[in-house]
Each structure stands twice: as structure tokens, then as C-alpha cells.
Amino acid sequence: MKEYLILFVSTVLVNNFVLTRFLGLCIFFGVSKNLGASLGMGMAVTSVMTLSSILAWLVYNFILLPLNLVFLKTIVFVLLIASFVQLLEMTIKKFAPTLYGMWGIYLLLIATNCVVLGVPLTNAESNYGFMMNVVSALGSGLGFALAITLMASLREKLAYADVPKPLQGMGVAFILAGMLALSFLGFSGMI
């Protein structure tokens, strides 16, 4: 149980994919202008990342490893994630239209996001068992959600601040991202 907790805290704070590995920055900067949109994106990424990592683990351990086709894992994972996101979008649209209204546009962005591919690839390289894979994926998704929510809340606060004209918009967003990355670097000695 202790190793699961350590892995979870590690993926949320210490090895945050956005702020320490710099994956998923396109959505991080694009969606973090609005706190509500950021919360929705964080929930969607966490869900897709966890479920697609489970599927990728199953395919990797029950198909690619036994058939000695490990060299195909990147291509297989990309196809698996894209197919899964399409299936998830159709299912949510049919059975949960309210949820689809909240996640609709975000699901398409998630299908092409590098952080959603990076987690299953990292988990496969780490040779995690099933539960370690799930904990890592869930923690990574929640770490993404935490990072994008923090960024959105800071950007909304800055909308009322007196930011110099040359730094308004993406300039101050890059400065904020750097400060957030530095603050998360402080967790690196923790685990």
C-alpha cells in the first residue's frame, strides 16, 4: 500500500507531466484562461488518461509482449488512444449529453495530446503491474488537472492586475508557468 501512495504523490507533485516533464503544454496554455474550462479539461484528461492507460497496459502485456512486438508499442498506443477517445465521445454523446456538452470539444483535443500518450509509454517502460499502472495514470491525470487549475486561477487573478502591455497575454502566462514549474521543483527532494 505504501508504494502505491508514494507513486501517486510522485506522479501528482514530484513528476508532474506538465510542470516537470513539460508534456501537454498546448492544452495547458490554451485552456487555462478560464477556471471552469480548466476544471472540465482536467476531469476529461484524467478520465481518458486513466482508461487509455488501462487499455494500453492490457494490450502491451497480453498482446505485444507475448508476440515479441514491443517495438510497435508507440504506433499501437497512438491508434488505441485515438480509437478509445472516438468511442468514448460517441458513447458520452449518446448516453450522457450533459457530460458531452461539458467535455465535447476537449475530447478531440485530448486524442492528440502528447501527455495522454506519454503516460502509457512511461508506464510500459517502467514495467508496472496493473494496479501500479492505474495509480500512475490516475496520479498523472490529477497532476495535470492540478497544474491547469492552478494556472487558470492565476491567470484569472491577473486579469485584474496591472500587467505591463508587452507582457499581457502569453508573455505573463509563460512567466507564470515558469514560476509554477519552479515551485513544483521544490517537491523533487520529497520522494
Side-chain angles (χ1 to χ4, degrees):
M1 186 66 177
K2 182 179 176 184
E3 64 269 4
Y4 295 126
L5 181 62
I6 290 172
L7 179 63
F8 182 77
V9 171
S10 171
T11 54
V12 172
L13 298 176
V14 179
N15 297 316
N16 187 296
F17 273 86
V18 177
L19 297 174
T20 62
R21 296 182 185 193
F22 307 111
L23 290 176
L25 292 178
C26 50
I27 290 178
F28 178 71
F29 284 112
V31 178
S32 65
K33 296 174 189 169
N34 180 317
L35 185 59
S38 295
L39 289 171
M41 177 57 90
M43 287 182 0
V45 167
T46 301
S47 302
V48 169
M49 194 180 295
T50 304
L51 295 173
S52 63
S53 289
I54 290 170
L55 289 174
W57 186 90
L58 292 170
V59 168
Y60 182 76
N61 284 290
F62 292 114
I63 297 173
L64 297 180
L65 276 177
L67 296 176
N68 200 22
L69 297 173
V70 176
F71 62 93
L72 293 174
K73 74 180 167 202
T74 303
I75 295 169
V76 170
F77 286 1
V78 166
L79 292 173
L80 182 75
I81 291 167
S83 302
F84 173 69
V85 169
Q86 281 299 116
L87 181 65
L88 185 66
E89 180 186 13
M90 290 186 304
T91 305
I92 290 174
K93 189 174 186 177
K94 181 172 178 130
F95 295 110
T98 307
L99 189 60
Y100 179 76
M102 186 172 68
W103 285 4
I105 187 70
Y106 302 132
L107 287 173
L108 298 174
L109 293 172
I110 293 168
T112 59
N113 197 325
C114 56
V115 74
V116 176
L117 176 62
V119 171
L121 286 174
T122 302
N123 290 346
E125 291 293 322
S126 300
N127 292 321
Y128 286 148
F130 181 75
M131 282 308 296
M132 292 290 272
N133 176 65
V134 172
V135 170
S136 173
L138 181 64
S140 298
L142 291 175
F144 178 88
L146 175 65
I148 199 168
T149 303
L150 287 173
M151 183 67 162
S153 61
L154 289 171
R155 287 179 79 176
E156 282 192 357
K157 287 275 190 195
L158 278 178
Y160 301 107
D162 187 24
V163 178
K165 190 149 182 88
L167 293 178
Q168 290 177 357
M170 288 305 288
V172 76
F174 283 124
I175 293 169
L176 283 176
M179 294 171 106
L180 278 174
L182 282 173
S183 66
F184 272 67
L185 184 64
F187 293 118
S188 64
M190 193 169 96
I191 295 177

